[in-house]
Amino acid sequence: GFKFLKVFKESMSAKAPGRPVFEEMLSFIEKKKDCILLVWKLDRLARNALDGGKISWLMDRGLINEIRTPEKVFKNIPDDKFMMSLDFSIAKKYVDELSQNVKRGNRAKFARGEWPHQAPLGYKNDTSTKLIVVNPEKASYVKRMFALYATGRYSLKEIANMLYNEGLRTRSGNQYLRGQVQWVLRNTFYYGMMQREGKFYEGKHETLVTKTLFDQANEILTG
């Protein structure tokens, strides 16, 4: 007995605002008014306070008559809107707890000397062991950055140009810029210390430079 006016397919996660298809749906409801939403689950609509509030406000204004899921119907009445707000809050709580669990897991990995993120230049992520290993194709460029800059004879831009001419490329095939070279030279990861949230952890990964060479390069960087 329903006439489907439009189907919206949103691929982005609902945990953060700014989903283009979701915003398109809201604009559609503003124009059509008197709408019913059919959705697989409420947390597909929103798992953040802002988007949940937008849906509730459209219902308060009578632009959404009801929201239907396979399990329940939320009508534009006080009790249903209260239950809907609880469901949105539970979805938000799930996202928050998931984030906390990820952070807790990452802290445990740091404590074990493991790097839980994307490998920096000169390394690669080993999917079989989930550890960081040296990337032979790129590691030599990192070593050369430190060796060249520690001499004090080359600027960051000159080193970026030199390594580009020698074959160093970003993943998109572009040149590493001055700021990216500086980031490498300041990264303690290369002599074995992982830095996260103001703390240092000793890594199990193979180092590319010595602490002495790192300090020499950074003394020049800081003048």
Side-chain angles (χ1 to χ4, degrees), residues 71-82:
E71 300 170 347
K72 186 169 180 176
V73 177
F74 298 89
K75 294 183 178 292
N76 191 10
I77 57 177
D79 286 350
D80 282 3
K81 287 192 289 185
F82 174 70

Side-chain angles (χ1 to χ4, degrees), residues 37-194:
L37 290 185
L38 280 77
V39 62
W40 176 248
K41 203 172 180 182
L42 271 188
D43 65 6
R44 301 299 92 189
L45 284 176
R47 281 184 286 160
N48 66 83
L50 181 59
D51 288 348
K54 289 179 179 179
I55 293 292
S56 298
W57 178 234
L58 288 176
M59 187 170 271
D60 286 343
R61 293 163 59 199
L63 302 181
I64 298 176
N65 281 335
E66 60 186 58
I67 299 174
R68 290 178 173 244
T69 75
E71 300 170 347
K72 186 169 180 176
V73 177
F74 298 89
K75 294 183 178 292
N76 191 10
I77 57 177
D79 286 350
D80 282 3
K81 287 192 289 185
F82 174 70
M83 295 305 298
M84 185 178 73
S85 67
L86 284 180
D87 277 12
F88 281 144
S89 297
I90 290 170
K92 176 68 170 67
K93 183 174 184 292
Y94 171 79
V95 171
D96 291 343
E97 288 179 345
L98 184 63
S99 176
Q100 289 297 318
N101 290 337
V102 169
K103 290 179 180 178
R104 190 181 301 114
N106 285 345
R107 285 195 296 268
K109 287 184 177 180
F110 279 118
R112 295 195 301 265
E114 301 170 6
W115 182 252
H117 305 298
Q118 184 69 35
L121 176 66
Y123 294 91
K124 59 184 178 180
N125 297 88
D126 188 332
T127 54
S128 60
T129 63
K130 297 184 178 180
L131 297 175
I132 300 294
V133 296
V134 172
N135 182 345
E137 297 177 2
K138 297 292 181 70
S140 59
Y141 292 115
V142 172
K143 295 177 181 178
R144 190 148 163 73
M145 281 184 195
F146 279 96
L148 288 171
Y149 198 74
T151 65
R153 297 198 298 267
Y154 304 97
S155 68
L156 296 171
K157 186 175 182 180
E158 286 172 333
I159 292 175
N161 291 335
M162 289 171 65
L163 296 182
Y164 180 76
N165 293 331
E166 293 174 9
L168 177 62
R169 299 289 188 277
T170 64
R171 291 183 180 180
S172 56
N174 298 320
Q175 180 179 354
Y176 274 84
L177 302 177
R178 174 186 179 279
Q180 291 168 303
V181 174
Q182 185 181 45
W183 181 88
V184 169
L185 296 175
R186 289 192 181 279
N187 193 345
T188 60
F189 188 91
Y190 293 109
Y191 75 84
M193 294 301 293
M194 305 180 298

Side-chain angles (χ1 to χ4, degrees), residues 187-193 200 205 207-211 214:
N187 193 345
T188 60
F189 188 91
Y190 293 109
Y191 75 84
M193 294 301 293
F200 287 89
H205 58 278
T207 61
L208 296 186
V209 299
T210 64
K211 176 69 163 58
F214 178 89

